Amino acid sequence: MKKSAFTLIELIIVLGIISIGSAIAILRFNVVDKIGARNEIQTFVDDYSYLRDLALSTGKTNTLSFDENGYTMTGYIKKERKLKYIKSLHKDKISFTNDAYVSADKTTEAYNLDFVSRKDPNTKWNFTIQAVGGYLNEK
């Protein structure tokens, strides 16, 4: 009489393969989220510098407006960016003028920008904007 069942060794091997595959998938998604968040921060820094330089070179005032899904660049150009991995903690508007000044709607914390990761709330980025020159410094 022949039994058709799995042995204990076969079950252990199958469970080991499944656990290794799921561990690789979980680690891969965490790495993708971190890389995506860092790329979005770099894109924001590039957009910020571009708008500041564009205001200086064209003489037109450019603005950067934040909402919960991203930010919008208006002025000489109009472009909207959606943020998938990070979100802005500010909802104010930043204006870049042709005389190298940066102004915001708020008067007290106008020159601090904070971003937080959507997946890991403990991961944060803080930027300070210099009033004269409008240079962006990451803390």
Side-chain angles (χ1 to χ4, degrees), residues 36-37 40-41 44 66-71 81-91 113-127:
E40 284 185 350
I41 286 292
F44 165 73
F66 296 95
D67 61 22
E68 58 189 49
N69 296 325
Y71 57 90
R81 293 250 192 231
K82 297 292 183 191
L83 299 175
K84 181 180 176 184
Y85 297 102
I86 61 173
K87 65 179 176 178
S88 172
L89 299 180
H90 294 278
K91 305 295 184 236
L113 291 173
D114 295 314
F115 292 92
V116 66
S117 173
R118 291 187 189 268
K119 300 286 182 181
D120 181 16
N122 294 327
T123 304
K124 296 180 181 181
W125 296 269
N126 182 280
F127 295 95

Side-chain angles (χ1 to χ4, degrees), residues 6 11 16 21-22 25 27 33 46 51 54 61 63 71 78 81 83 85-86 95 105 110 115 119-122 138:
F6 293 111
L11 288 174
S22 62
L27 289 175
D33 289 340
D46 294 342
L51 283 179
L54 190 63
T61 300
T63 60
Y71 57 90
K78 181 167 175 70
R81 293 250 192 231
L83 299 175
Y85 297 102
I86 61 173
S95 297
D105 292 341
F115 292 92
K119 300 286 182 181
D120 181 16
N122 294 327
E138 185 175 1

Side-chain angles (χ1 to χ4, degrees), residues 48 52 96 100-103 110-112 127-137:
Y48 178 92
R52 186 192 50 165
F96 304 91
Y101 281 95
V102 176
S103 63
Y111 301 108
N112 289 326
F127 295 95
T128 302
I129 303 171
Q130 295 177 2
V132 177
Y135 296 104
L136 192 65
N137 299 320

Side-chain angles (χ1 to χ4, degrees), residues 50-51 54 60-63 73-79:
Y50 175 70
L51 283 179
L54 190 63
K60 287 192 167 192
T61 300
N62 293 295
T63 60
M73 301 175 284
T74 55
Y76 192 75
I77 60 161
K78 181 167 175 70
K79 189 167 190 173

Side-chain angles (χ1 to χ4, degrees), residues 5-19:
F6 293 111
T7 64
L8 184 60
I9 299 289
E10 291 171 333
L11 288 174
I12 290 173
I13 291 172
V14 168
L15 288 175
I17 291 170
I18 291 172
S19 62

